[in-house]
mmCIF file of all heavy atoms in Angstrom:
data_model
loop_
_atom_site.group_PDB
_atom_site.id
_atom_site.type_symbol
_atom_site.label_atom_id
_atom_site.label_comp_id
_atom_site.label_asym_id
_atom_site.label_seq_id
_atom_site.Cartn_x
_atom_site.Cartn_y
_atom_site.Cartn_z
ATOM 1 N N LEU A 277 15.469 -8.708 0.635
ATOM 2 C CA LEU A 277 14.686 -7.662 -0.018
ATOM 3 C C LEU A 277 13.274 -8.183 -0.224
ATOM 4 O O LEU A 277 13.079 -9.313 -0.673
ATOM 5 C CB LEU A 277 15.291 -7.295 -1.378
ATOM 6 C CG LEU A 277 14.647 -6.116 -2.112
ATOM 7 C CD1 LEU A 277 14.901 -4.809 -1.360
ATOM 8 C CD2 LEU A 277 15.187 -6.003 -3.541
ATOM 9 N N ARG A 278 12.297 -7.363 0.144
ATOM 10 C CA ARG A 278 10.911 -7.701 -0.179
ATOM 11 C C ARG A 278 10.524 -6.933 -1.426
ATOM 12 O O ARG A 278 10.669 -5.709 -1.485
ATOM 13 C CB ARG A 278 9.974 -7.341 0.976
ATOM 14 C CG ARG A 278 8.613 -8.064 0.907
ATOM 15 C CD ARG A 278 7.609 -7.459 1.853
ATOM 16 N NE ARG A 278 7.141 -6.171 1.356
ATOM 17 C CZ ARG A 278 6.581 -5.228 2.118
ATOM 18 N NH1 ARG A 278 6.440 -5.417 3.411
ATOM 19 N NH2 ARG A 278 6.178 -4.088 1.582
ATOM 20 N N VAL A 279 10.053 -7.663 -2.422
ATOM 21 C CA VAL A 279 9.679 -7.069 -3.702
ATOM 22 C C VAL A 279 8.174 -7.212 -3.869
ATOM 23 O O VAL A 279 7.637 -8.320 -3.798
ATOM 24 C CB VAL A 279 10.407 -7.754 -4.874
ATOM 25 C CG1 VAL A 279 10.046 -7.074 -6.190
ATOM 26 C CG2 VAL A 279 11.924 -7.732 -4.659
ATOM 27 N N ASP A 280 7.490 -6.096 -4.096
ATOM 28 C CA ASP A 280 6.024 -6.097 -4.172
ATOM 29 C C ASP A 280 5.551 -5.905 -5.610
ATOM 30 O O ASP A 280 6.068 -5.038 -6.337
ATOM 31 C CB ASP A 280 5.444 -4.967 -3.316
ATOM 32 C CG ASP A 280 5.784 -5.108 -1.838
ATOM 33 O OD1 ASP A 280 6.454 -6.085 -1.472
ATOM 34 O OD2 ASP A 280 5.383 -4.228 -1.058
ATOM 35 N N PHE A 281 4.551 -6.708 -5.983
ATOM 36 C CA PHE A 281 3.935 -6.594 -7.299
ATOM 37 C C PHE A 281 2.415 -6.639 -7.173
ATOM 38 O O PHE A 281 1.865 -7.186 -6.202
ATOM 39 C CB PHE A 281 4.359 -7.751 -8.218
ATOM 40 C CG PHE A 281 5.780 -7.702 -8.690
ATOM 41 C CD1 PHE A 281 6.697 -8.651 -8.266
ATOM 42 C CD2 PHE A 281 6.204 -6.726 -9.581
ATOM 43 C CE1 PHE A 281 8.003 -8.631 -8.706
ATOM 44 C CE2 PHE A 281 7.514 -6.695 -10.033
ATOM 45 C CZ PHE A 281 8.417 -7.646 -9.593
ATOM 46 N N TYR A 282 1.758 -6.084 -8.180
ATOM 47 C CA TYR A 282 0.333 -6.283 -8.405
ATOM 48 C C TYR A 282 0.200 -7.013 -9.732
ATOM 49 O O TYR A 282 1.076 -6.914 -10.600
ATOM 50 C CB TYR A 282 -0.417 -4.946 -8.495
ATOM 51 C CG TYR A 282 -0.238 -4.035 -7.305
ATOM 52 C CD1 TYR A 282 0.671 -2.979 -7.348
ATOM 53 C CD2 TYR A 282 -0.983 -4.215 -6.147
ATOM 54 C CE1 TYR A 282 0.837 -2.132 -6.261
ATOM 55 C CE2 TYR A 282 -0.829 -3.373 -5.055
ATOM 56 C CZ TYR A 282 0.087 -2.333 -5.121
ATOM 57 O OH TYR A 282 0.254 -1.505 -4.048
ATOM 58 N N THR A 283 -0.889 -7.729 -9.898
ATOM 59 C CA THR A 283 -1.114 -8.374 -11.188
ATOM 60 C C THR A 283 -2.590 -8.278 -11.551
ATOM 61 O O THR A 283 -3.471 -8.478 -10.704
ATOM 62 C CB THR A 283 -0.638 -9.845 -11.167
ATOM 63 O OG1 THR A 283 -0.773 -10.409 -12.475
ATOM 64 C CG2 THR A 283 -1.411 -10.679 -10.164
ATOM 65 N N ILE A 284 -2.843 -7.926 -12.806
ATOM 66 C CA ILE A 284 -4.203 -7.839 -13.341
ATOM 67 C C ILE A 284 -4.205 -8.599 -14.659
ATOM 68 O O ILE A 284 -3.546 -8.178 -15.622
ATOM 69 C CB ILE A 284 -4.637 -6.379 -13.568
ATOM 70 C CG1 ILE A 284 -4.562 -5.582 -12.261
ATOM 71 C CG2 ILE A 284 -6.054 -6.326 -14.134
ATOM 72 C CD1 ILE A 284 -4.835 -4.095 -12.436
ATOM 73 N N GLY A 285 -4.920 -9.715 -14.697
ATOM 74 C CA GLY A 285 -4.872 -10.550 -15.893
ATOM 75 C C GLY A 285 -3.455 -11.050 -16.102
ATOM 76 O O GLY A 285 -2.855 -11.653 -15.213
ATOM 77 N N MET A 286 -2.897 -10.759 -17.268
ATOM 78 C CA MET A 286 -1.520 -11.156 -17.563
ATOM 79 C C MET A 286 -0.533 -10.018 -17.339
ATOM 80 O O MET A 286 0.660 -10.170 -17.604
ATOM 81 C CB MET A 286 -1.426 -11.644 -19.014
ATOM 82 C CG MET A 286 -2.232 -12.902 -19.292
ATOM 83 S SD MET A 286 -1.774 -14.294 -18.208
ATOM 84 C CE MET A 286 -0.085 -14.582 -18.725
ATOM 85 N N ASP A 287 -1.021 -8.894 -16.859
ATOM 86 C CA ASP A 287 -0.152 -7.740 -16.625
ATOM 87 C C ASP A 287 0.386 -7.745 -15.197
ATOM 88 O O ASP A 287 -0.338 -8.062 -14.245
ATOM 89 C CB ASP A 287 -0.911 -6.435 -16.871
ATOM 90 C CG ASP A 287 -1.305 -6.263 -18.330
ATOM 91 O OD1 ASP A 287 -0.516 -6.669 -19.200
ATOM 92 O OD2 ASP A 287 -2.405 -5.739 -18.589
ATOM 93 N N ILE A 288 1.640 -7.361 -15.054
ATOM 94 C CA ILE A 288 2.301 -7.277 -13.753
ATOM 95 C C ILE A 288 2.767 -5.843 -13.555
ATOM 96 O O ILE A 288 3.321 -5.223 -14.471
ATOM 97 C CB ILE A 288 3.512 -8.237 -13.681
ATOM 98 C CG1 ILE A 288 3.047 -9.690 -13.797
ATOM 99 C CG2 ILE A 288 4.302 -8.029 -12.393
ATOM 100 C CD1 ILE A 288 4.192 -10.687 -13.937
#
Side-chain angles (χ1 to χ4, degrees):
L277 186 67
R278 199 193 73 201
V279 183
D280 298 359
F281 289 113
Y282 304 99
T283 185
I284 302 174
M286 296 303 295
D287 294 324
I288 296 172

